[in-house]
C-alpha cells in the first residue's frame, strides 16, 4: 500500500521535464534561497544602502545657497573641528546615552531576573505586559514626560496642591537630566527582553551544581548567573546606546537649550539651517563616534568576561 | 527587538524549570521590585488618558472634573481626520508589503542553505540599530536626488524599511515552529512548490502572518522619527500631534488623541502577541 503510493508519486514526480533553468534551480539549493530572498534584499539595498551611500557622498559636497556644489571637498569635515560646539555636542550626546544605557540596564536586570527565575504562573502575561509598551508610540511616551515635568506639570502642580512646595520647581524640565529620565523610561522596555532571554537560556543544572559545591546565593549569582547573562546585557546596551545618541525628539521636547544633543543640530541642517552637506558630515561623525564607543565597549566587555571566566576556572 | 521577543516566547513555551531552582518565596522583594518597575513603565503614559478627561485647559492638579469635551473637540478637527486617514493608508500599505517581504525572506532563511546567510540576516536587521535620524536624512537625500516629491509614499517606503526586519523575525520563529516534513511530504506527493505553499505552508504560518500584519501596522502607525523627515504636505497622526504641540490651547485634545492612539496600539499589540504565543503553544501541544 505504502509502496504503491510512493511508486505512484515517484511516477508523477519523475517525468517532470528538467529544462535548463529549472534543472539549475533543482540542483542548486543556494539559487532557490537567493531567488526567494532577492525581493527583500533588493528593497533593503535600495531603501537603505543606496541612501546611506548618497549621504556619504553629500558630506563631501558643499551647499551653495539653494543648489549643491558637487566638487569633492573635505570642507564640512574641517568645519566640524573649527567650531568646538559640534564636538562638544557629540561628546555630550554620547555621555547622555551612556548614562541612559547604564541606568536602563541596571534597572531592568532585576526585572528580567524576576521573570526568568521567579515567575512560575502566568509567564505569558508578564511577557506581554513588558512587550506591549515598546510597540507603542515613542512620541507619546516622550510627550507624557513633558506633561509630568513641566513648569505647571503633574509633579509641580501635584506637590503644590499637596502643600509640599509653594513655587513650582524649575529644575525639572529643560535640562539634560530631564532628557536622561525621559529616555530611560522610553527605552526601558527594550532592555528587559534581551536580558530575560539570556537568563532563561541558562542551564539550571549549572546553578544546582554551584549550590551543591557550596556557593551561597550571592556568589552563585556573581560566578554563574551574571557571567552567563552577559551576552544579553551587552545586546541590551547596544540596543539602547546606538539609537539614543542620535535622538532629536526627546531633547527638543524636554531638553531645552541645555539639553540639546547632536541629533538636533543634524536635524536643523536638514531644516531651518538648510545645509545638507554639513548635516551629512555631522551624521557621519556621529556614526563614527558611536562605532568607536561600541568597539571600545565590546573590547572591555570581552576582557572582563575573559577575566571572569579565568577566575572561575 | 522582536528577535528577542520571539525568542522569549519560544523559551517561555519550551523551558521547563526544575522546581528546586525556584528557591525563595514567589512574593519576595523581587516581586515588589517588578511591580514598581511595571508602574514606572506604565504610569507616566497613563497621565495622558487621565488628563484627557479633566475639565480644564491646564494639564495640572488638582483635577477639575470629568468631561469628554476634549474628545469631541478632537473628533471635530479636520486636520486630525485627514491625518488619521493618511496613517491608516500608510499603515495598511506598509503592513501588507512588509509582510510579503517578510514571508519571502523568512521562507528563504528557514528552508534553504546558502552562503553568506549570517551577513545577509545582519543586513536586513540593520534598521533595528541604525539611529532613525540617519535613515531619515539618507532617505530624504535619496528622494530629492531622484527628483521625487515628499509624500505619503516616501513615508511608507521608510516604514517598510523598519517593518521588514520585525516581520521576518516573527515569521522565522513561526516557520521554524512547524514540522518541515509536512512541506516535504506535499512535494513528494507531487504537489508543485506553488500549491505546497498555499496548501501547507500558508495555513500553518497564518497566525504568524496575522501577527506580522498587526505589528507592522503598529510600527508604521506610531512611527515619528522617519516620518518627520519624509512627510510632505500630508501628515500622519504622529506628525499631526507634533504640529499641535506648539499650541497650548490644543493640548487637551492632543491628550485625548494620544490616549486613543495608546489604547488602540495596546489592543493591536496585545492581540498579535497573544496570537503569536498561542500559536507557539498549539505547536508544542501537537508535537508532544
Amino acid at each position: 500500500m505504502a509502496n504503491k503510493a510512493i511508486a505512484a508519486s515517484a511516477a508523477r514526480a519523475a517525468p517532470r521535464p528538467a529544462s535548463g533553468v529549472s534543472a539549475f534551480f533543482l540542483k542548486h539549493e543556494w539559487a532557490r534561497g537567493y531567488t526567494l530572498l532577492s525581493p527583500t534584499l533588493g528593497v533593503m539595498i535600495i531603501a537603505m544602502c543606496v541612501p546611506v551611500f548618497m549621504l556619504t557622498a553629500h558630506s563631501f559636497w558643499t551647499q551653495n545657497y539653494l543648489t549643491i556644489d558637487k566638487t569633492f571637498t573635505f570642507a564640512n569635515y574641517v568645519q566640524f573641528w573649527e567650531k568646538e560646539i559640534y564636538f562638544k555636542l557629540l561628546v555630550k550626546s554620547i555621555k547622555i546615552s551612556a548614562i541612559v544605557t547604564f541606568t536602563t540596564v541596571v534597572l531592568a536586570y532585576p526585572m528580567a531576573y524576576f521573570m526568568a527565575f521567579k515567575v512560575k504562573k502566568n509567564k505569558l502575561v508578564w511577557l506581554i505586559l513588558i512587550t506591549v509598551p515598546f510597540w507603542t508610540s515613542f512620541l507619546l511616551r516622550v510627550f507624557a514626560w513633558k506633561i509630568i515635568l513641566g513648569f505647571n506639570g503633574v509633579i509641580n502642580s501635584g506637590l503644590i496642591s499637596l502643600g509640599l512646595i509653594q513655587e513650582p520647581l524649575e529644575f525639572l524640565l529643560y535640562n539634560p537630566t530631564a532628557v536622561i529620565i525621559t529616555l530611560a523610561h522610553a527605552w526601558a522596555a527594550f532592555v528587559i527582553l534581551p536580558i530575560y532571554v539570556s537568563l532563561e537560556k541558562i542551564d539550571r543544572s549549572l546553578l544546582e551544581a554551584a549550590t551543591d559545591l557550596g556557593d551561597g546565593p550571592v556568589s552563585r549569582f556573581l560566578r554563574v548567573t551574571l557571567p552567563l547573562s552577559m551576552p544579553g546585557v551587552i545586546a541590551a546596551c547596544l540596543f539602547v546606546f546606538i539609537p539614543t545618541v542620535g535622538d532629536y525628539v526627546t531633547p527638543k521636547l524636554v531638553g531645552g537649550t541645555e539639553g540639546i544633543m547632536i541629533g538636533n543640530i543634524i536635524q536643523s541642517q536638514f531644516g531651518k539651517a538648510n545645509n545638507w552637506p554639513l548635516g551629512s558630515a555631522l551624521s557621519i561623525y556621529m556614526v563614527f563616534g558611536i562605532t568607536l564607543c561600541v568597539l571600545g565597549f565590546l573590547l572591555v566587555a570581552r576582557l572582563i568576561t575573559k577575566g571572569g571566566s579565568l577566575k572561575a576556572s | 527587538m522582536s528577535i528577542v521577543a520571539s525568542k522569549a516566547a519560544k523559551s517561555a513555551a519550551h523551558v521547563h524549570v526544575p522546581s528546586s531552582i525556584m528557591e525563595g518565596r514567589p512574593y519576595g522583594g523581587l516581586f515588589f521590585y517588578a511591580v514598581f518597575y511595571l508602574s514606572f513603565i506604565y504610569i507616566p503614559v497613563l497621565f495622558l488618558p487621565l488628563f484627557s478627561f479633566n475639565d480644564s485647559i491646564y494639564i495640572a492638579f488638582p483635577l477639575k472634573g470629568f468631561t469628554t469635551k476634549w474628545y469631541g473637540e478632537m473628533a471635530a478637527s479636520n486636520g486630525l481626520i485627514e491625518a488619521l486617514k493618511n496613517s491608516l493608508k500608510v499603515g495598511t500599505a506598509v503592513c501588507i508589503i512588509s509582510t510579503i517581504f517578510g514571508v519571502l525572506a523568512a521562507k528563504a532563511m528557514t528552508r534553504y542553505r546558502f552562503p553568506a546567510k549570517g551577513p545577509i540576516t545582519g543586513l536586513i536587521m540593520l534598521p533595528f540599530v541604525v539611529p532613525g535620524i540617519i535613515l531619515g536624512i539618507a532617505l530624504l537625500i535619496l528622494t530629492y536626488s531622484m527628483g521625487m516629491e515628499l509624500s505619503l509614499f516616501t513615508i511608507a517606503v521608510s516604514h517598510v524599511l523598519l517593518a521588514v526586519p520585525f516581520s521576518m523575525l516573527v515569521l522565522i520563529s513561526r516557520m521554524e515552529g512547524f514540522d518541515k516534513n509536512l512541506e516535504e511530504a506535499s512535494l513528494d506527493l507531487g504537489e508543485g512548490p506553488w500549491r505546497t505553499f498555499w496548501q501547507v505552508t500558508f495555513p500553518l504560518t497564518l497566525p504568524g502572518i496575522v501577527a506580522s500584519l498587526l505589528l507592522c501596522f503598529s510600527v508604521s502607525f506610531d512611527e515619528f522619527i522617519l516620518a518627520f523627515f519624509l512627510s510632505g504636505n500630508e501628515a500622519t497622526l504622529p506628525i499631526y500631534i507634533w504640529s499641535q504641540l506648539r499650541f497650548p490651547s490644543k493640548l487637551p485634545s492632543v491628550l485625548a488623541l494620544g490616549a486613543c492612539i495608546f489604547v488602540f496600539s495596546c489592543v493591536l499589540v496585545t492581540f498579535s502577541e497573544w496570537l503569536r504565543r498561542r500559536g507557539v503553544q498549539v505547536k508544542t501541544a501537537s508535537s508532544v
Side-chain angles (χ1 to χ4, degrees), chain A residues 29-30 32-40, chain B residues 101-114 117 120 168 172 175:
Chain A
E29 193 178 334
W30 59 266
R32 277 174 283 161
Y34 279 144
T35 313
L36 211 51
L37 201 57
S38 56
T40 315
Chain B
F101 285 132
V103 169
L104 292 173
K107 176 121 168 89
M109 293 291 180
T110 50
R111 295 296 183 265
Y112 299 102
R113 277 167 301 163
F114 47 85
K117 196 183 251 185
I120 291 175
M168 184 176 87
I172 282 181
M175 286 188 182

Side-chain angles (χ1 to χ4, degrees), chain A residues 255-276:
Chain A
T257 41
E258 273 177 67
I260 208 170
M261 284 166 71
I262 189 83
N264 299 90
I265 299 288
I266 296 174
Q267 183 253 311
S268 73
Q269 299 304 326
F270 287 85
K272 278 182 194 145
N274 196 31
N275 190 340
W276 289 21

Side-chain angles (χ1 to χ4, degrees), chain B residues 105-141:
Chain B
K107 176 121 168 89
M109 293 291 180
T110 50
R111 295 296 183 265
Y112 299 102
R113 277 167 301 163
F114 47 85
K117 196 183 251 185
I120 291 175
T121 315
L123 180 76
I124 297 179
M125 299 300 174
L126 261 185
F128 274 146
V129 284
V130 177
I133 192 169
I134 302 279
L135 295 177
I137 58 178
L139 278 165
L140 177 67
I141 287 175

Side-chain angles (χ1 to χ4, degrees), chain A residues 112-126:
Chain A
Y113 187 88
F114 170 76
M115 295 206 351
F117 291 103
K118 305 283 172 177
V119 176
K120 294 172 207 171
K121 276 188 255 168
N122 303 327
K123 207 158 201 164
L124 288 186
V125 176
W126 281 93

Side-chain angles (χ1 to χ4, degrees), chain A residues 130-146:
Chain A
I130 59 155
T131 335
V132 165
F134 86 55
W135 294 104
T136 56
S137 175
F138 177 68
L139 181 62
L140 287 178
R141 271 177 281 160
V142 178
F143 175 51
W145 280 99
K146 192 182 166 73

Side-chain angles (χ1 to χ4, degrees), chain A residues 180-197:
Chain A
I180 291 171
I181 295 174
T182 308
L183 283 175
H185 172 255
W187 290 87
F190 290 72
V191 284
I192 303 174
L193 284 172
I195 302 176
Y196 166 75
V197 170

